[in-house]
Amino acid sequence: MRDVVINLLATAIAAAAGWTSQYIVRYRRILRKRSFFGVSPGAQVMLFVAKHFSSQRPQSVHRNDVATLVELATTIRESGGLPALVTSEDGHREAGRVTEYCVGGPSANPRTAAHLRIALPGVRFTPAEPDSLLPFSVGDRAFRRRPGAEQFALLARVRPSASAAPVFILAGQTALDNLGAARYLMANWRGLRKTYGNRNFCLVLGLREPSTFGADHVHLVADVSVPAFTAIAGAPEPDHEHRDEPDTAVAALDPSHHD
């Protein structure tokens, strides 16, 4: 009888130790995730979304940007935060107090345009025009899309100071590219955290064959952190019109994306 009791106690202790170990691992993981994404339990996180390019309604949002918001909001909620949507018509909010996610290029999202002017002086977007290639440049390197074959997005995290809340910018050449940037961010945040910690970064991402694969085949094209955060000598101030990217989605989107 004594041996049975001892075995039961040993089993219970082992089970409790295993559960505690798993709990600590999960808790540390969520802490790392909160730190990277700038989420505090119960704190509001602002999602600034671009206006739909071709819609006449001032608060219309492209369906691919809606999918992007879902990706971001899911991660924020899983981290204990409270996602709050802000449209381009209601973007007059203070910066640095709460974490922000800006979805869409500067022609469509005034909030993105402001952050680019202030924090990323080495980035230049061409104002959106129907049927244009919507190029953008970082430093002396230009990125021009080949519609349906190769398209690009800018993914940046800007933290004005060590104590300020971060700003994430997902600025694609089209709304589909915004979604690709979000999926890349969700799938690769651990690697980005190991590489950059709490430092600012700016990446150019590419979508391969988006006319066939949608936003699923996303790869890193270049780390442009140095030129993006460096002012271009003699460059004129960007002149961004507040319009959205054209609709280029031609394929159904798979919500899952893995490394």
Side-chain angles (χ1 to χ4, degrees), residues 12-253:
I13 291 171
W19 180 88
T20 302
S21 176
Q22 292 177 1
Y23 174 80
I24 291 173
V25 170
R26 289 195 301 268
Y27 184 68
R28 287 178 175 174
R29 179 181 179 276
I30 195 67
L31 287 180
R32 291 193 293 267
K33 190 173 185 180
R34 285 172 177 169
S35 174
F36 177 82
F37 286 105
V39 179
S40 298
Q44 193 175 65
V45 177
M46 309 303 293
L47 303 176
F48 291 88
V49 65
K51 177 186 176 298
H52 195 298
F53 176 79
S54 60
S55 174
Q56 299 301 317
R57 291 179 294 178
Q59 294 189 342
S60 179
V61 177
H62 194 284
R63 66 180 183 275
N64 286 328
D65 282 338
V66 172
T68 299
L69 295 173
V70 171
E71 296 265 357
L72 297 174
T74 298
T75 292
I76 292 167
R77 284 194 175 278
E78 288 176 349
S79 303
L82 303 175
L85 177 63
V86 185
T87 67
S88 60
E89 296 295 308
D90 186 32
H92 302 289
R93 304 294 178 92
E94 293 184 24
R97 295 183 179 274
V98 299
T99 299
E100 298 181 25
Y101 287 79
C102 295
V103 176
S107 293
N109 191 331
R111 192 75 173 189
T112 298
H115 284 302
L116 292 180
R117 288 193 299 267
I118 294 172
L120 296 162
V123 176
R124 291 289 184 269
F125 274 77
T126 299
E129 296 290 348
D131 301 322
S132 76
L133 297 181
L134 303 171
F136 64 84
S137 62
V138 184
D140 59 0
R141 186 172 179 182
F143 300 90
R144 297 179 182 276
R145 73 186 182 109
R146 292 182 293 134
E150 186 176 29
Q151 300 174 184
F152 300 97
L154 197 75
L155 172 62
R157 184 182 65 186
V158 177
R159 193 185 295 269
S161 67
S163 60
V167 176
F168 286 83
I169 297 173
L170 297 82
Q173 292 172 320
T174 71
L176 183 63
D177 308 326
N178 299 336
L179 178 58
R183 289 185 174 172
Y184 182 91
L185 180 63
M186 299 303 110
N188 295 280
W189 71 268
R190 295 176 186 83
L192 293 172
R193 176 184 174 275
K194 290 179 180 179
T195 300
Y196 301 103
N198 287 327
R199 293 181 287 117
N200 295 342
F201 63 80
C202 184
L203 310 175
V204 174
L205 308 176
L207 275 70
R208 296 190 181 103
E209 300 293 336
S211 61
T212 301
F213 300 113
D216 287 333
H217 282 209
V218 187
H219 66 285
L220 176 64
V221 175
D223 181 337
V224 293
S225 299
V226 173
F229 291 99
T230 304
I232 302 174
E237 288 296 318
D239 180 19
H240 300 303
E241 298 176 25
H242 301 327
R243 289 181 288 181
D244 197 3
E245 296 87 349
D247 181 355
T248 60
V250 294
L253 302 179

